[in-house]
Amino acid sequence: MQKFALIGAGFIGSVHAHNLASHPDVDFKLVYDIDLQRATTLAAQHGATAAASLDQIFENKDLDAVLIASSTDSHAQNLRHAADAGLAALVEKPIDLDLETAKSTVAYVERAGIKAMVNFNRRFDRAHAELKELVHTGRIGDVAAAPAHLARASGCRRWTT
């Protein structure tokens, strides 16, 4: 049984919390968010405990892994802290918005010798796979750029890439 902590109680953090809590091989222990009330609510929904600080996660010798779903600007720093603590880590993409910071963080994690992975769950979506096939086979011609939109049913903000 792997003992997990979650950093980030926003939309994607709540998805991860559900998955952690329902996995038979996971003991979902802690949730941290900069908004303690949000962490407390999410933790209570999934049988975990809210952490009042990141130190409660990174100094906890009872944990095996951390799932980092915090804001993008904190991914690299939290991943480095996980490496320092010897915790396996799954971090939401991107590691950082700055390529050099991302590269140096990867090198830092490799030197620490922890298991770490960047979450890239959309690559297996059927719609994405079909679009990739259309582009790869040339059926839609040469693609130079394409707008993409992701909207959630909850009506939250919309991302455009």
Side-chain angles (χ1 to χ4, degrees), residues 7-152:
I7 300 173
F11 171 75
I12 198 63
S14 67
V15 172
H16 288 303
H18 169 76
N19 292 332
L20 288 169
S22 62
H23 195 289
D25 295 327
V26 169
D27 184 4
F28 184 25
K29 304 294 275 182
L30 294 168
V31 178
Y32 172 80
D33 193 273
I34 58 171
D35 180 339
L36 181 57
Q37 183 56 51
R38 190 162 50 176
T40 300
T41 300
L42 187 62
Q45 291 170 348
H46 298 288
T49 301
S53 71
L54 285 169
D55 289 343
Q56 283 183 262
I57 291 174
F58 296 125
E59 294 175 4
N60 188 321
K61 301 301 180 199
D62 194 40
L63 293 173
D64 299 305
V66 62
L67 199 157
I68 301 167
S70 53
S71 59
T72 299
D73 63 343
S74 66
H75 288 178
Q77 180 181 7
N78 286 330
L79 186 53
R80 286 173 179 251
H81 286 309
D84 290 340
L87 293 171
L90 173 63
V91 61
E92 274 293 330
K93 65 184 182 313
I95 293 172
D96 197 85
L97 294 176
D98 177 74
L99 180 59
E100 291 309 312
T101 300
K103 285 180 177 180
S104 69
T105 300
V106 168
Y108 190 93
V109 167
E110 287 175 345
R111 284 191 302 274
I114 66 163
K115 292 181 180 180
M117 181 177 140
V118 178
N119 192 34
F120 189 37
N121 58 330
R122 294 283 180 195
R123 70 184 290 192
F124 298 109
D125 282 356
R126 182 175 32 192
H128 293 190
E130 289 173 5
L131 180 58
K132 180 182 182 286
E133 182 65 21
L134 289 172
V135 171
H136 183 72
T137 61
R139 288 183 48 205
I140 59 174
D142 292 330
V143 178
H149 302 280
L150 173 64
R152 297 194 309 250

